[in-house]
Amino acid sequence: MANDTENKTPFPTREQIMEFIDMSPTPVGKREIARAFNIKGAAKIELKKILRDLKIGGDVVKGRRRFDKPDRLPPVEVLEIIGIDDDGEVIARPNVWKEDYEPPVIYVKTIRRGGPSAPGIGDKILAKLRYTGKQTYEASIMRVLGSGPQRVLGIFRPNEREGRVVPTDRKDSGEIAVPLDDHPDLEGGSLVLTEILPGKHFGLRKGRITEVLGNINEPKSISLVSIHARGIPFEFPPEVELQARESKATPMGKRTDLRDIPLVTIDGADARDFDDAVWAEPDPDPENEGGWHIMVAIADVSWYVRPHDALDREAVKRGNSCYFPDRVVPMLPFELSNGWCSLVPHEDRGCMAVEMWLNRHGTKLRHKFCRGMMRSAARLTYDQVQRAMDGYPDDTTGPLLETIIKPLYGAYEAFLEARKGRGVLELDLPERKIELNDKGQIIAIAPRARFDSHKLIEEFMVAANVCAAEELERIKQPCMYRIHDAPSEEKLEALHEFLEGAGYKLNKGAVLRPRDFNRILEQAKDTPEAELINTVVLRSQSQAMYSPDNIGHFGLALKKYAHFTSPIRRYADLLVHRALIAGLKLGEGGLPTEDGERFEQIGEDISGTERRAAMAERDAVDRYVAAYMADKVGAEFPGRVSGVTHFGLFVSLQETGADGLVPISTLPDDYYVHDAIGHALVGQNRGKTFRLGDDVVVRIAEADAATGSLALRLAGHADITDRDLIERPRGRGKRRGSPGDRSHRHGTKPGFRANPKDKSGASGGGPRGGNPGSKPGAKAAGKKKTTPKKQRKLVASSRVARNTTKRES
């Protein structure tokens, strides 16, 4: 009998895959490529990686789950302005493009004085194009052809003859003139949507107010600005609300009766929806001495939200719930998220539950899923549970301490042993909570409490999520994995150099695991640079996302992981529930076969909505913090450098955690070079160096709640004057415009890089930040003083990566 290896088809090279796509008369899918090269099983994961690299590199373009050879655009093309990216650069797309494929990224060069007028979003332009690689182009405007409708969110300011609308977007500094006749009684400070009128105008842009949303001085408007700016859907269509209102209690049917099991929910004190419940007991099996029998029960959202109905269409569009300091924009209407799908105590609720059996070391021995009916024994808070374990039970936790709470902690201790054994990435960065009064006004920014009770729930949820991924693989059902790739070589190289400069050694050339990073974090623990090292390690990590192709979860050190535990607030979890119901034949509401074929596109879509929500939540926090600091302008606060860019320092105030920008033009007189690897600004004349993690004292110079910007100055240093800028002699440093030049003097125009390929900085590399990469259109710095408006734009273009880690459930 011939050896199996002799019949095995060799894995194709990148060139062979590209040739296959190029020679095909029609676009091809991953399935056809796999069939052509006889790629099966785990090898499909490698194919997925190659196709992703080819797409990123611009060698192929991807449509609706199909790949094609890229089409190069002609040297002159009609484009449409579609927006401004996080770095403040204008982005366009071809006016005519195949809808099945993602258009190339086109960056529009800065308008020169005397050239055509600057276009706005929606405008069409005729432009010369230069291909810069990786499906990106640089466009030079030849002529502005026409305007499309553009709506701007802003603050209304009355004037004698006409009104003014000041945009809330930090990257849009131009006011808009609006007539007073349409809204004669409109008050100053009103939050309005304004449509920009087409045509060329002298002076300010002309517009008309289309909608009044409230007043910026009202606390509720702060989150509203972020919701509108990021395009978060916050009103449910009538058919969705009607379906939710008509929902009824889940029938018992063939469900497993779990109502005698004393499951409890443990959430924050301000939580209103309870979608997970837990229970534990020592395993009675004598062969598993010291082991545990646990259960995690999750609200059965799939019973109410059926594939392709009105609720489902709205849920996939939202992708997830969004959480703001004063409100929640839910994925599902109130009647479900806070009603039938919330595991309120002492009421019957349908659920999806998983039982697990662990040994004394926290290793899972087996698990079993069921669709059940439960009745929560109690609604507990993290603080309550922790106080009970610390010896201070209350009337609710006292009767539950021995029978429910202590067994939960016993199982948690076993989980901790298993967690330590597999080497989970253990970052230690503080989180802060915005506290509001009854009127929605911010009263404090305090550190967010972190108890063992929080970690207990996290470990139970992680274990349930692992079971879901394993079960779907076992029953051969589609799975929407939660994947987290290892750090890229580029980020690791930068991290190596930084750590070596700080006196820490990370094994170079070896395959790194989370425990390798933990070793560095443990060495830095209790040292002055501990927070700095945690921050830099965080920024080196990749971003987690959703995909039907499993590559594992690097941060959690898990080979299989999916989100199962929050279908109220995450669409990915709802898909996992449906797949389990279909595969285990648990009744109605299962996953249709055709939906599994759409998982790749859905995964990309909901990963995008997750990022959108994170940015909106971050923007809202920025605006709340700016509102809180508005009456403290001129006051001085201790802070720490939390980000270093080529145009200044981001400083995090130690009391509140608020972030603000100290522009490079206000630093002590010197010629500063941005050391991207060392995260520092280095003075070339006097040797003054500002490094990530340095302790500083800053003065609040400006706080704008509408834009969320906080401008800072180093205490004890006066601002540089225009006279200083003109008379100061040129500092020593690299010749401007030479390769690698990253130097900036006082008065240089921030936001432009001498080396356009350099995109490193505070905003790159973190789980929420952007990735370093090349963008065309950057110019050498000029000699103009940074204005407050420009400073606000700079804050928008490079926000500091924050630790936004939430419970991984």
Side-chain angles (χ1 to χ4, degrees), residues 27 55 61-68 99-102 600-601 604:
K55 177 189 169 187
V61 292
K62 183 184 177 187
R64 295 170 182 169
R65 304 187 302 279
R66 305 185 75 81
F67 296 88
D68 200 356
E99 292 185 1
D100 285 348
Y101 294 93
E102 295 180 8
E600 184 174 348
Q601 184 60 51
E604 292 179 4

Side-chain angles (χ1 to χ4, degrees), residues 754-798:
N755 177 4
K757 292 186 178 181
D758 193 338
K759 289 283 294 177
S760 57
S763 66
R768 303 285 185 194
N771 296 323
S774 173
K775 289 188 180 179
K779 293 187 177 181
K783 295 185 178 182
K784 295 173 69 176
K785 183 178 174 69
T786 307
T787 65
K789 286 183 179 179
K790 290 176 182 174
Q791 291 166 8
R792 287 194 292 270
K793 292 174 73 175
L794 293 174
V795 175
S797 68
S798 183

